[in-house]
């Protein structure tokens, strides 16, 4: 998927959120803001987009999200427990119906935890809670950023269905 298709997906999700009267908040790491960008590109996004943060570092995660819910012991980035924590924390912090959390390793190398480039976890928290793991098999940073945002939005679209 290219960036224009990503923006179209974000607009379709925005339409659904408006129809349902629901809101979303985002905590994304390795996507660098692309999930939020896709959701904000639709005119009238303020009706459903509560806000987002780029939690690329532990400093950002602690600064933006800590204290809203209890941090699970031994939490590490780019894992299923991490994206569960992100998605619930950001939704609760911003009073949103839904939360999207994302963490991965875009490349060109893996992350400090030993995960390979192209590894991402996505978490959705709200009326339904979903996590998804995806491996692109690619070490290209830019392509992985778009791929990770796409996985996050597709996972969210599935949760909205």
């Amino acid at each position: 998927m290219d960036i224009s298709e990503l923006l179209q997906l974000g607009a379709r999700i925005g339409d659904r959120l408006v129809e349902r009267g629901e809101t979303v908040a985002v905590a994304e790491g390795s996507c660098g803001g692309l999930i939020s960008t896709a959701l904000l590109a639709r005119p009238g996004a303020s009706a459903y987009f509560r806000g987002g943060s780029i939690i690329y570092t532990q400093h950002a995660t602690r600064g933006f999200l800590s204290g809203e819910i209890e941090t699970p012991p031994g939490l590490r980035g780019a894992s299923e427990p991490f994206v569960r924590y992100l998605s619930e924390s950001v939704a609760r912090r911003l009073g949103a119906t839904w939360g999207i959390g994302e963490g991965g390793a875009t490349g060109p190398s893996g992350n400090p935890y030993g995960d390979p480039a192209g590894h991402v976890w996505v978490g959705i928290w709200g009326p339904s809670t979903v996590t998804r793991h995806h491996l692109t098999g690619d070490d290209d940073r830019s392509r992985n950023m778009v791929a990770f945002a796409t996985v996050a939005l597709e996972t969210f679209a599935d949760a909205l269905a």
Side-chain angles (χ1 to χ4, degrees):
M1 184 175 288
D2 68 20
I3 194 74
S4 64
E5 293 170 312
L6 183 67
L7 298 177
Q8 291 170 10
L9 177 57
R12 287 192 305 275
I13 289 169
D15 290 344
R16 275 195 238 158
L17 289 168
V18 168
E19 288 169 11
R20 294 166 62 134
E22 295 175 343
T23 56
V24 65
V26 179
E28 57 190 300
S30 55
C31 289
L34 288 177
I35 298 168
S36 295
T37 297
L39 291 167
L40 285 167
R42 178 193 177 277
S46 61
Y48 58 86
F49 188 82
R50 287 286 170 94
S53 59
I54 299 171
I55 47 78
Y56 191 72
T57 65
Q58 287 183 359
H59 292 93
T61 303
R62 288 184 193 125
F64 291 129
L65 299 176
S66 68
E68 198 58 40
I69 64 171
E70 186 175 334
T71 304
L75 188 66
R76 76 158 183 95
S79 66
E80 184 175 23
F82 182 64
V83 298
R84 285 180 188 266
Y85 170 77
L86 293 178
S87 59
E88 182 177 356
S89 292
V90 75
R92 289 187 185 276
R93 169 113 359 170
L94 299 181
T97 312
W98 296 93
I100 301 172
E102 174 272 329
T106 52
S109 60
N111 63 25
Y113 310 111
D115 302 313
H119 154 93
V120 68
W121 273 99
V122 172
I124 308 297
W125 182 89
S128 64
T129 301
V130 180
T131 59
R132 184 173 291 166
H133 181 246
H134 183 74
L135 291 169
T136 66
D138 194 351
D139 66 359
D140 183 271
R141 188 175 186 85
S142 297
R143 282 193 302 264
N144 279 331
M145 290 173 75
V146 173
F148 293 1
T150 300
V151 168
L153 290 173
E154 288 174 343
T155 303
F156 185 40
D158 291 346
L160 286 170

